[in-house]
Amino acid sequence: MLSARIHIALAMLATWLAWGGAARAQQPSIVLQVDRQQVTLTDEFQLVVTLRGNVDGLQPPALADFDIVGQPRSEQRIVNRSQSFSQIYTLRAKKVGTFTIGPAHATANGQIVASAEPIKITVTEAKSQAPVSAQDALTIDPNTAETTFLRWTVPRTKFYVGEPFPLTLNLWIRTELNAS
């Protein structure tokens, strides 16, 4: 009799823990992540907004200082009864400075149930490259320390407007071969 009660109590405890564990895993949360926090004006970077738990809405972060490149992508994952939803933005800064992305909020039944911490992004001027002449671009110095080269070639130098033409890209990779 006592043994049956212990088994029932253990079964109830296990069920309660299992449901409690699932409920804890489904607590609403929202996270902002970027692939880097220092960019130049010409760089594109990714912002990922991830929602977890029982939420029915997203108040995305304000992105007034950034251009959204293309359409945002969405991902949904369900792992061990825990689901997450991610919105992925590709961004480019509009000007130089330090900017804050966020906060963002997750909502349920019209109420904010979770907020994401803001992220600071530092934007600098793009480094300018020294101009290279066409002749220099065609010349590969055999004594250079560079390990890779790209060379574009076309069959001739004059074309008609709208005329298709072949473009060849040669990738050169320098390797050290040691035969022992």
Side-chain angles (χ1 to χ4, degrees):
M1 185 71 156
L2 184 59
S3 166
R5 285 186 181 168
I6 291 174
H7 287 295
I8 291 172
L10 288 174
M12 289 175 63
L13 178 62
T15 303
W16 179 76
L17 287 173
W19 283 106
R24 279 191 297 277
Q26 290 295 316
Q27 288 297 318
S29 69
I30 183 170
V31 177
L32 297 178
Q33 295 174 308
V34 290
D35 59 350
R36 57 185 174 236
Q37 290 182 286
Q38 293 189 353
V39 297
T40 68
L41 274 175
T42 58
D43 288 341
E44 293 179 357
F45 66 99
Q46 288 196 336
L47 166 68
V48 180
V49 181
T50 303
L51 296 166
R52 290 185 181 88
N54 294 324
V55 297
D56 58 20
L58 165 66
Q59 294 176 2
L63 300 172
D65 297 312
F66 303 93
D67 288 322
I68 299 174
V69 179
Q71 293 291 325
R73 296 187 330 263
S74 300
E75 287 182 3
Q76 185 170 4
R77 294 182 183 195
I78 300 174
V79 178
N80 295 334
R81 293 185 289 168
S82 177
Q83 73 177 24
S84 67
F85 173 80
S86 296
Q87 192 83 25
I88 303 162
Y89 299 88
T90 301
L91 303 175
R92 185 181 309 124
K94 292 181 178 179
K95 56 187 174 186
V96 172
T98 300
F99 305 101
T100 301
I101 295 177
H105 306 287
T107 60
N109 299 321
Q111 301 293 317
I112 294 176
V113 294
S115 296
E117 293 293 320
I119 298 174
K120 289 201 183 284
I121 302 291
T122 303
V123 181
T124 58
E125 286 287 341
K127 294 179 183 177
S128 62
Q129 301 268 335
V132 176
S133 70
Q135 186 58 38
D136 289 344
L138 292 174
T139 306
I140 298 174
D141 180 10
N143 298 320
T144 186
E146 296 293 325
T147 57
T148 58
F149 305 94
L150 283 176
R151 180 182 288 167
W152 297 92
T153 56
V154 291
R156 56 184 202 268
T157 58
K158 293 185 180 183
F159 300 92
Y160 296 103
V161 175
E163 176 186 3
F165 59 90
L167 180 63
T168 304
L169 172 65
N170 293 313
L171 172 63
W172 301 76
I173 301 174
R174 184 184 308 245
T175 61
E176 295 290 326
L177 296 177
N178 293 326
S180 301

